[in-house]
C-alpha cells in the first residue's frame, strides 16, 4: 500500500510529513522529486525578486546547521572546515541549536566566526546572515530534524548549495546547487533533482582522516559475542531498518547457520519491536546481539574488527556509518538502487575497486554474503585490501577533498 499512499500525497492529500521519511522505503527518484516539490511549495515561498551581489576580498562561505556537535555531519565535515584555505575563504557557521560538546569546541576553533541564530525568527535570522555579506550559503540539513528551509527560501546569499546532510532533492527553487558525485547522481538521473548538480571528482562524502581507532587488543568475549559465529554487523539508525531490510536479513540468518546479527542497540520499545518482527520471520533471539552506544568514536570503530561483514540497509544506505566501517577495515555488502540515498556506499565501494560487494538486487545481496561466509580467505583479502586503501585511497584523503570542494565553490562564483 505504500506506493498508493505516497501517490495520493503527491496528487491529492495535504502532505504534513517530510520527504525524508519516504526515502528509505523505495528507490524512486522521480516520485521523490514530486513529493519534495509538493512539500516545498506547500510550506515555503521563494524570494525570487531579491538579487544579492557581493564584492568581498575573500569568498565568504556560510554553513547553516543544527548539527555542529557530535553528529554524523560534523564527524565527517570537521577536518574539511579546519583545512579550508583561509587565505582565499572566510568560513562562517550559523548554528540553529545551542547544544554543545567537544565537537562544537573543535569546530569553533576551525570557523572564522560562529553565530547562534536558533532563537531568532526567520526575518531576524535572514537579516543577520545577510549583513555578513556571504557569497555562498551552504544548507547542511535539507529536510532533516531542526532544519529551517525557510531561511534559504528567503535567500541568504547569491549562491545557495545543499550539501551532505540530506541525501535527496529539496524540490524547490531556493537551493541552486546540490553537491554529489557521478555515481550517487549519474548524468542520466540528474533530471530528477531540482538543483543543478555540482560533481565532486571522487566522492561527495567528506571524511576526517585524523579519525582514530583504539588499538588495544579486544576479543569477542569482551563484548559478549560468541567466538565461533559469523558476525554480521549492522550499526544503523533504527529508522533505516525497514520491513524489506528485516525480510532480507532474516533470509540470510536462516540460510547461514552460524551467522548472527550484531545490531546497534535502539531504545527499549524499538528493541522489543525488532525482536517481535524478527521472530515473525522465524529468527530467534539467540541470533541477535546488541552493540551498546560507546562514549567515544574510537572505541566504536575498534569493535568493528570483531565482525566479519557489515550488512547495509536499503534504500537508505549507511552513509557516515558505511565509510567508518570501511575505515575500520570491515567489508560492507550493499544493494545499489536508483535514488541518491541508496548509492552512497556503492559509490565508496566503486572508488575502492570493490564493486563485487555491490548487489543489484536482493538475491545477489544474499549471494555475496553467502560467498564471503563460505570463503573466509576471500574475506581476509578484502580486509587486507582495506588496510592498504586506508593509506592511499582518495575517499579518505581530507586534504584532497577540500581542494576539490573549493574548486567547486570557485566554479560557481563567476
Amino acid at each position: 500500500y505504500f506506493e498508493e499512499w505516497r501517490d495520493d500525497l503527491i496528487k491529492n492529500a495535504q502532505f504534513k510529513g517530510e520527504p525524508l521519511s519516504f526515502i528509505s522505503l523505495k528507490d524512486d527518484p522521480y516520485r521523490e522529486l514530486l513529493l519534495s516539490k509538493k512539500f516545498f511549495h506547500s510550506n515555503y515561498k521563494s524570494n525570487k525578486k531579491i538579487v544579492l551581489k557581493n564584492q568581498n576580498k575573500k569568498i565568504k562561505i556560510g554553513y547553516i546547521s543544527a548539527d555542529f556537535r557530535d553528529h554524523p555531519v560534523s564527524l565527517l565535515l570537521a577536518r574539511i572546515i579546519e583545512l579550508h584555505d583561509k587565505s582565499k575563504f572566510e568560513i562562517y557557521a550559523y548554528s540553529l541549536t545551542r547544544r554543545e560538546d567537544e565537537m562544537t569546541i573543535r569546530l569553533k576553533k576551525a570557523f572564522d566566526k560562529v553565530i547562534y541564530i536558533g532563537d531568532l525568527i526567520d526575518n531576524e535570522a535572514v537579516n543577520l546572515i545577510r549583513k555578513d555579506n556571504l557569497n555562498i550559503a551552504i544548507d547542511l540539513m535539507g529536510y532533516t530534524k531542526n532544519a529551517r528551509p525557510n531561511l534559504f527560501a528567503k535567500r541568504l546569499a547569491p549562491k545557495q548549495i545543499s550539501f551532505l546532510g540530506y541525501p535527496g532533492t529539496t524540490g524547490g527553487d531556493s537551493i541552486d546547487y546540490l553537491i554529489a558525485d557521478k555515481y550517487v547522481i549519474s548524468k542520466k538521473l540528474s533530471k530528477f533533482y531540482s538543483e543543478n548538480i555540482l560533481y565532486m571528482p571522487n566522492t561527495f562524502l567528506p571524511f576526517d582522516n585524523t579519525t582514530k581507532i583504539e588499538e588495544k587488543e579486544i576479543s569477542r568475549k569482551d563484548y559478549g559475542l560468541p567466538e565461533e559465529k559469523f558476525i554480521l554487523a549492522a550499526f544503523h539508525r533504527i529508522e533505516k531498518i525497514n520491513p524489506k531490510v528485516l525480510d532480507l536479513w532474516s533470509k540470510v540468518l536462516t540460510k547461514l547457520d552460524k551467522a548472527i546479527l550484531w545490531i546497534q542497540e535502539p531504545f527499549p520499545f524499538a528493541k522489543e519491536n525488532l525482536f517481535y518482527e524478527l521472530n515473525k520471520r522465524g529468527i530467534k533471539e539467540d541470533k541477535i546481539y546488541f552493540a551498546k552506544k560507546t562514549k567515544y568514536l574510537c572505541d566504536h570503530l575498534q569493535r568493528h574488527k570483531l565482525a566479519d561483514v557489515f550488512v547495509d540497509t536499503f534504500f537508505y544506505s549507511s552513509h557516515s556509518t558505511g565509510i567508518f566501517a570501511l575505515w575500520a577495515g570491515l567489508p560492507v555488502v550493499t544493494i545499489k538502487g536508483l535514488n541518491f540515498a541508496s548509492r552512497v556506499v556503492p559509490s565508496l565501494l566503486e572508488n575502492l575497486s570493490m564493486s563485487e560487494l555491490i548487489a543489484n538486487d536482493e538475491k545477489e545481496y544474499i549471494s555475496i554474503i553467502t560467498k564471503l561466509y563460505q570463503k573466509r580467505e576471500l574475506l581476509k583479502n578484502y580486509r587486507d585490501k582495506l588496510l592498504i586503501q586506508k593509506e592511499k585511497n582518495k575517499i579518505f584523503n581530507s586534504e584532497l577533498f577540500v581542494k576539490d570542494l573549493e574548486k567547486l565553490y570557485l566554479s560557481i562564483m563567476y
Side-chain angles (χ1 to χ4, degrees):
Y1 299 108
F2 163 68
E3 280 88 353
E4 292 175 16
W5 176 44
R6 179 198 55 201
D7 290 349
D8 186 50
L9 285 173
I10 291 170
K11 295 173 186 175
N12 307 309
Q14 186 177 359
F15 182 31
K16 292 184 178 179
E18 292 186 350
L20 180 65
S21 57
F22 290 85
I23 283 176
S24 66
L25 300 175
K26 190 73 176 173
D27 63 327
D28 188 336
Y30 173 59
R31 283 179 173 77
E32 279 184 26
L33 173 62
L34 295 180
L35 200 60
S36 294
K37 274 186 174 181
K38 179 161 186 181
F39 180 76
F40 180 87
H41 293 292
S42 297
N43 291 280
Y44 311 106
K45 187 177 180 181
S46 291
N47 192 346
K48 294 179 182 178
K49 293 180 181 178
I50 189 163
V51 177
L52 301 173
K53 291 185 179 180
N54 299 329
Q55 299 294 323
N56 299 317
K57 288 183 179 179
K58 294 182 185 179
I59 295 170
K60 291 187 177 183
I61 311 286
Y63 291 89
I64 293 91
S65 180
D67 301 321
F68 295 125
R69 52 188 171 84
D70 184 15
H71 182 278
V73 165
S74 290
L75 291 172
L76 295 175
L77 194 62
R79 187 66 185 141
I80 306 308
I81 301 301
E82 290 170 344
L83 290 169
H84 264 310
D85 185 347
K86 300 299 175 63
S87 70
K88 295 177 182 174
F89 298 89
E90 281 185 37
I91 311 299
Y92 292 49
Y94 300 92
S95 180
L96 300 174
T97 61
R98 280 205 186 278
R99 285 180 62 186
E100 295 193 0
D101 52 28
E102 288 181 21
M103 175 57 75
T104 317
I105 294 166
R106 178 182 173 185
L107 287 167
K108 281 184 172 181
K109 292 176 184 174
F111 282 107
D112 290 303
K113 188 177 177 182
V114 177
I115 308 102
Y116 172 66
I117 60 170
D119 289 338
L120 303 180
I121 63 171
D122 287 347
N123 284 338
E124 290 173 339
V126 169
N127 290 334
L128 183 147
I129 295 172
R130 281 190 195 158
K131 283 179 182 176
D132 286 328
N133 214 25
L134 299 177
N135 296 97
I136 300 172
I138 313 285
D139 180 8
L140 292 171
M141 301 198 74
Y143 296 132
T144 56
K145 187 178 179 182
N146 298 319
R148 289 177 65 178
N150 209 30
L151 301 183
F152 290 89
K154 290 175 181 291
R155 184 65 58 174
L156 302 172
K159 310 288 185 180
Q160 302 194 144
I161 300 175
S162 175
F163 176 41
L164 187 59
Y166 186 72
T169 184
T170 55
D173 50 11
S174 63
I175 299 294
D176 308 305
Y177 302 95
L178 171 61
I179 293 177
D181 59 60
K182 63 187 177 184
Y183 200 92
V184 293
I185 303 177
S186 66
K187 298 282 188 190
K188 184 180 176 183
L189 295 173
S190 63
K191 63 186 175 184
F192 300 125
Y193 296 81
S194 60
E195 304 85 0
N196 294 304
I197 310 301
L198 293 174
Y199 286 99
M200 289 289 283
N202 303 300
T203 174
F204 85 98
L205 201 66
F207 188 71
D208 177 1
N209 58 8
T210 67
T211 300
K212 300 274 193 300
I213 300 174
E214 188 64 53
E215 292 188 6
K216 67 182 179 185
E217 284 299 314
I218 57 169
S219 68
R220 289 183 169 184
K221 187 178 178 182
D222 296 333
Y223 288 83
L225 295 167
E227 292 288 348
E228 302 303 319
K229 298 292 185 180
F230 186 78
I231 298 180
L232 306 171
F235 304 136
H236 306 278
R237 292 203 323 266
I238 195 70
E239 309 93 272
K240 291 188 179 184
I241 303 173
N242 62 44
K244 283 193 173 183
V245 171
L246 290 176
D247 290 343
L248 194 49
W249 287 352
S250 297
K251 287 177 184 176
V252 172
L253 292 170
T254 301
K255 182 176 183 179
L256 308 182
D257 183 50
K258 290 190 174 180
I260 64 162
L261 189 65
W262 191 22
I263 198 164
Q264 187 80 32
E265 187 170 42
F267 293 114
F269 71 92
K271 193 172 176 179
E272 287 177 25
N273 286 341
L274 197 62
F275 276 136
Y276 173 75
E277 290 295 333
L278 286 167
N279 190 253
K280 272 201 316 186
R281 293 163 171 81
I283 304 303
K284 294 181 180 178
E285 288 188 17
D286 63 0
K287 280 268 195 178
I288 312 301
Y289 289 78
F290 290 99
K292 294 189 179 298
K293 186 172 176 60
T294 60
K295 186 176 181 181
Y296 299 108
L297 178 62
C298 61
D299 294 323
H300 170 59
L301 296 181
Q302 181 197 31
R303 64 186 175 182
H304 280 66
K305 71 171 72 171
L306 301 176
D308 293 292
V309 175
F310 191 95
V311 287
D312 203 10
T313 46
F314 64 97
F315 295 100
Y316 196 155
S317 68
S318 51
H319 300 175
S320 62
T321 313
I323 198 168
F324 281 133
L326 294 167
W327 178 251
L330 184 60
V332 181
V333 178
T334 190
I335 298 180
K336 173 180 65 178
L338 293 173
N339 61 341
F340 188 134
S342 70
R343 297 170 75 88
V344 175
V345 168
S347 174
L348 298 174
L349 291 171
E350 285 283 351
N351 275 284
L352 289 162
S353 300
M354 291 183 168
S355 57
E356 320 88 79
L357 299 178
I358 305 169
N360 291 300
D361 53 37
E362 297 176 22
K363 184 179 178 182
E364 198 173 351
Y365 182 86
I366 296 173
S367 175
I368 294 168
I369 296 169
T370 302
K371 188 176 181 181
L372 296 173
Y373 176 84
Q374 294 169 342
K375 299 181 178 179
R376 303 299 171 90
E377 189 59 35
L378 183 61
L379 200 53
K380 183 181 181 302
N381 291 343
Y382 281 120
R383 283 185 171 279
D384 292 343
K385 185 174 181 179
L386 282 172
L387 281 176
I388 296 166
Q389 292 294 324
K390 182 177 176 179
E391 299 301 322
K392 68 177 190 178
N393 198 279
K394 291 175 180 177
I395 67 168
F396 300 124
N397 189 329
S398 306
E399 290 78 11
L400 177 64
F401 186 96
V402 77
K403 286 177 183 175
D404 289 332
L405 183 65
E406 288 176 351
K407 284 178 188 174
L408 281 194
Y409 291 162
L410 287 168
S411 74
I412 64 171
M413 284 298 299
Y414 309 106

